[in-house]
Amino acid sequence: MVVAAALQEAWPQYAFIWDTKPELLLVLAANIGLARGAAQGLAAGFFAGLFSASLAGSGMGSYLLTRMLAGYVAGVLRRRLFTERLRVAAFVCAGTTLTAEVLRMIMAPPLDALQWVRSLSVVVLFSFVLGPLVYFPVRAIARQWPHRAEE
Amino acid sequence: MVAFVALAIIVTIWDYGYRGAEDPSPPSRLARAVVAPLAGRLSASGRVVPDYALSFWDARALARENQRLQEQVDDLQAQLQAQVKDYLERQQLEKDVPLEQRASSLIARVIVWPSGNNPAKRIKIAAVGPGLIYKSDVVLQGTGLLGRVDETDGRTADVALLTDEKQYVSALIQRTSHFGIVCGDRQRLDTPYGRLEMRDFVPGADVRVNDTIVSSGDGGVYPAGLIIGEVEAVRHTSPSDPSLIAIIRPRADFRHLAFVRVARHRG
């Protein structure tokens, strides 16, 4: 989670699309939920929200809530979808990112709606592309430790 | 799960208390302290990638530019060498020609040199500096006679060289003052390129190897006293003919002409 936060903070300028960078912490939280379940997804979402809010400098409550929710929902979907497929990871990450950002927009409305829509589309695209790439190592690490029964 | 939810509520309330304050809340500060060192290292590394990409792109462009500049340098060096050679020839020419002769003559540059292996019979020259070229002016290289101006427009001229077997110069042996006729070498098979021959000597003429041959001034085509060359060999016209032919090594170098001197002569 620390590495993801550092990567997000140090994302190079030439890799920005429309002045927007990916939400790596959110993608990681969703992938952990997808790989390990709702509880771990919620915990990962907590730390993702904490780091995101610290780096953003504001909105601790909205970041915590949205990231924890994303991790939890991804964990719930683990039992309902065939999560071995990378396409599933891509769509889940994109979906949870969209949901989380829309929720955060409701809690902390942006000043420029058009700019927000443009940024949202880029962030969702980033999540769709990076989701499967992050899911690979997360799933490999998750397989090292036997999975506990869902609460 | 409940623990994390409770923790989230506590952190949110705690952070809310620092809203508007200059310093962030302790949880924020702690999170930043953990992430900041690694983020700094990653930022520095991230700048390397575009630098390398740009360097690779620039390197190709630089290589092309370097090649173009190298070709330019080669051309300029060749031009410089040619100009240095011309300059040295001109220096030698001015050294060879006495000052009083320079006043009545002008320098010209050879601009058309016929190609091929046969000795050149005609060249085209262009005047360098002020002055005009007149028909029948005499053309020299240093102190050696080259030929005479055949046609001219004032600044450029066609020159008929002595190597043309149809050009005849009335000449004499400087040592003995015996007369003869100098023309282009007709017997090219056994003589070096660019030689002249002297024939039609007066009966009993005494001609020896290394004798200097000069123009006699007879006929008015060339003024008297111009050095044509030195005798290289003497032979008979044929085994049955006692007439002598002297092979002359010209004073002027007919194979390497760049600058020549055009002397005024009213023939």
Side-chain angles (χ1 to χ4, degrees):
Chain A
M1 197 60 71
V2 172
V3 172
L7 266 173
Q8 186 171 318
E9 178 68 4
W11 193 256
Q13 200 66 34
Y14 54 82
F16 276 46
I17 301 176
W18 276 342
D19 296 328
T20 308
K21 56 184 173 181
E23 287 287 341
L24 289 174
L25 289 163
L26 182 53
V27 169
L28 184 59
N31 275 310
I32 289 174
L34 207 55
R36 294 291 292 179
Q40 287 85 347
L42 189 83
F46 171 79
F47 289 105
L50 180 64
F51 283 123
S52 295
S54 305
L55 295 173
S58 65
M60 182 70 76
S62 60
Y63 274 107
L64 281 172
L65 175 65
T66 53
R67 270 55 180 168
M68 288 171 73
L69 192 65
Y72 181 79
V73 168
V76 166
L77 288 174
R78 184 177 178 276
R79 296 188 112 193
R80 287 164 174 73
L81 299 173
F82 186 48
T83 55
E84 292 298 312
R85 288 197 180 150
L86 294 178
R87 271 181 296 177
V88 172
F91 281 105
V92 167
C93 287
T96 51
T97 301
L98 179 65
T99 309
E101 289 301 311
V102 168
L103 262 177
R104 209 168 68 78
M105 186 272 291
I106 294 169
M107 294 169 67
L111 293 170
D112 188 348
L114 196 61
Q115 174 63 27
W116 178 83
V117 169
R118 205 161 66 168
S119 296
L120 176 68
S121 57
V122 173
V123 166
V124 169
L125 180 65
F126 265 128
S127 297
F128 186 83
V129 171
L130 295 174
L133 298 174
V134 175
Y135 189 61
F136 262 123
V138 168
R139 190 177 64 177
I141 294 168
R143 281 178 180 167
Q144 294 299 316
W145 289 277
H147 181 262
R148 288 193 305 158
E150 290 291 306
E151 291 103 305
Chain B
M1 272 171 57
V2 174
F4 274 105
V5 172
L7 195 59
I9 294 169
I10 292 167
V11 169
T12 302
I13 295 169
W14 194 359
D15 185 74
Y16 191 80
Y18 282 80
R19 206 169 181 155
E22 282 185 13
D23 295 329
S25 62
S28 281
R29 267 187 281 153
L30 180 63
R32 278 190 203 175
V34 169
V35 172
L38 185 57
R41 290 279 177 107
L42 290 173
S43 280
S45 307
R47 283 190 289 272
V48 169
V49 173
D51 287 347
Y52 271 112
L54 278 174
S55 299
F56 175 73
W57 195 257
D58 286 345
R60 291 178 62 189
L62 279 173
R64 281 196 293 270
E65 180 73 7
N66 187 50
Q67 190 181 5
R68 187 184 67 79
L69 288 172
Q70 189 61 45
E71 286 168 4
Q72 267 187 7
V73 166
D74 292 340
D75 283 343
L76 287 171
Q77 278 182 344
Q79 283 179 30
L80 178 66
Q81 282 178 357
Q83 285 180 0
V84 167
K85 183 170 171 283
D86 290 346
Y87 171 76
L88 291 173
E89 278 190 19
R90 186 172 173 153
Q91 290 287 94
Q92 187 62 39
L93 190 69
E94 289 179 358
K95 201 191 298 181
D96 288 342
V97 174
L99 188 61
E100 58 274 14
Q101 286 188 24
R102 278 189 245 165
S104 59
S105 60
L106 60 85
I107 304 294
R109 184 190 177 93
V110 177
I111 56 174
V112 176
W113 179 259
S115 59
N117 291 326
N118 291 330
K121 298 175 184 177
R122 296 178 77 85
I123 58 173
K124 195 173 181 78
I125 61 174
V128 176
L132 294 173
I133 303 173
Y134 295 93
K135 193 169 177 174
S136 298
D137 279 350
V138 172
V139 181
L140 304 103
Q141 185 193 51
T143 53
L145 181 61
L146 275 174
R148 63 181 180 83
V149 172
D150 199 21
E151 291 173 13
T152 179
D153 61 7
R155 294 291 294 171
T156 64
D158 288 333
V159 177
L161 300 177
L162 296 183
T163 46
D164 186 351
E165 62 265 26
K166 294 177 187 160
Q167 293 290 322
Y168 296 94
V169 183
S170 174
L172 54 84
I173 304 166
Q174 196 174 47
R175 178 175 58 89
T176 61
S177 300
H178 288 159
F179 284 84
I181 299 293
V182 170
C183 61
D185 186 2
R186 295 174 191 171
Q187 300 175 9
R188 295 190 189 86
L189 291 175
D190 59 351
T191 51
Y193 166 79
R195 292 294 186 263
L196 305 171
E197 62 181 33
M198 189 172 181
R199 54 176 64 233
D200 297 334
F201 290 96
V202 294
D206 177 16
V207 57
R208 298 177 192 173
V209 173
N210 293 329
D211 276 345
T212 299
I213 306 300
V214 298
S215 58
S216 66
D218 289 351
V221 178
Y222 294 98
L226 298 177
I227 299 173
I228 297 172
E230 288 79 28
V231 176
E232 193 175 64
V234 183
R235 60 177 69 135
H236 292 280
T237 310
S238 66
S240 56
D241 187 348
S243 304
L244 293 174
I245 289 179
I247 304 302
I248 298 172
R249 184 176 57 248
R251 178 64 67 89
D253 186 353
F254 285 89
R255 287 167 294 180
H256 301 106
L257 294 174
F259 287 98
V260 298
R261 184 164 60 89
V262 180
R264 194 72 64 243
H265 174 62
R266 297 288 180 263

